[in-house]
Amino acid sequence: ADSQIKEDSPSAEQKKTVASLISQAIDEAKIAVSLSSSSQNLENLGLIYKNLIGIAPKAEEYSLAALRLAVSHDPKNPRLQLEIAGIYFLLKDYNQARKFYENALVLNPKYGLAQFGLALVEKESGNPKKAVEYFQLALKNTSHGSPDYQKIKADLTYFLK
């Protein structure tokens, strides 16, 4: 068993490579922002940091800062609101997550992923009735053949068990 654990654990060389690649991704995204601080480049930087939450120090702060700047450049983009909500959800700040999922729905009232996010917030907040309502809305407003639809349906099925 110990030998398997050692095999599954990354070597010092692998850890160094991963750290280098993470640093390179951040540097490239920062360069893109410095060349053009478009909402798309800021969103990309924010998403890189979002993926590093729990791995890199202050990743959530950097992610939120980049995404908020992206919102200032593209305030009518519901996807940016969704991404910010997702960060707050990861941080278990359900009130802030709810606020940004609701912002996304103001911009796009039939945004299934924002409704799904609200379903998860309500589930975690102990509001099962509201959660089911949002799950059902999310299913109604998500393309039936999509992976998102399958995920929402599976989560609802699991929640109802």
Side-chain angles (χ1 to χ4, degrees):
D2 286 336
S3 65
Q4 186 173 0
I5 291 171
K6 288 178 184 174
E7 287 177 22
D8 291 343
S9 299
S11 68
E13 177 89 17
Q14 290 170 321
K15 287 179 184 179
K16 186 177 176 183
T17 300
V18 167
S20 174
L21 291 172
I22 288 170
S23 180
Q24 184 179 352
I26 292 169
D27 290 345
E28 294 293 328
K30 285 179 178 178
I31 290 169
V33 168
S34 72
L35 294 173
S36 169
S37 62
S38 69
S39 68
Q40 191 172 23
N41 287 342
L42 288 161
E43 179 183 8
N44 184 45
L45 179 61
L47 294 178
I48 289 170
Y49 278 120
K50 180 181 178 183
N51 287 318
L52 296 175
I53 292 174
I55 298 169
K58 297 187 178 187
E60 63 278 352
E61 292 175 33
Y62 297 140
S63 181
L64 286 168
L67 289 169
R68 285 195 168 133
L69 271 174
V71 168
S72 73
H73 289 11
D74 190 3
K76 294 185 180 188
N77 185 339
R79 188 182 66 247
L80 297 173
Q81 301 291 326
L82 182 83
E83 293 298 346
I84 292 171
I87 293 167
Y88 283 117
F89 186 85
L90 285 172
L91 299 174
K92 299 184 186 324
D93 186 342
Y94 301 123
N95 289 330
Q96 282 294 96
R98 180 182 289 110
K99 174 186 163 188
F100 283 94
Y101 285 129
E102 288 171 348
N103 288 351
L105 287 173
V106 166
L107 296 170
N108 180 355
K110 293 186 176 186
Y111 195 8
L113 289 178
Q115 293 161 331
F116 177 51
L118 281 169
L120 297 175
V121 165
E122 296 302 342
K123 178 182 129 191
E124 293 299 321
S125 299
N127 301 316
K129 238 181 174 178
K130 275 185 153 180
V132 170
E133 289 173 19
Y134 280 118
F135 273 121
Q136 290 171 338
L137 279 171
L139 285 172
K140 179 181 171 188
N141 291 310
T142 303
S143 176
H144 290 262
S146 73
D148 291 333
Y149 183 87
Q150 298 306 319
K151 169 77 173 130
I152 296 166
K153 189 174 179 180
D155 279 19
L156 175 59
T157 301
Y158 181 77
F159 180 64
L160 292 174
K161 284 185 179 181

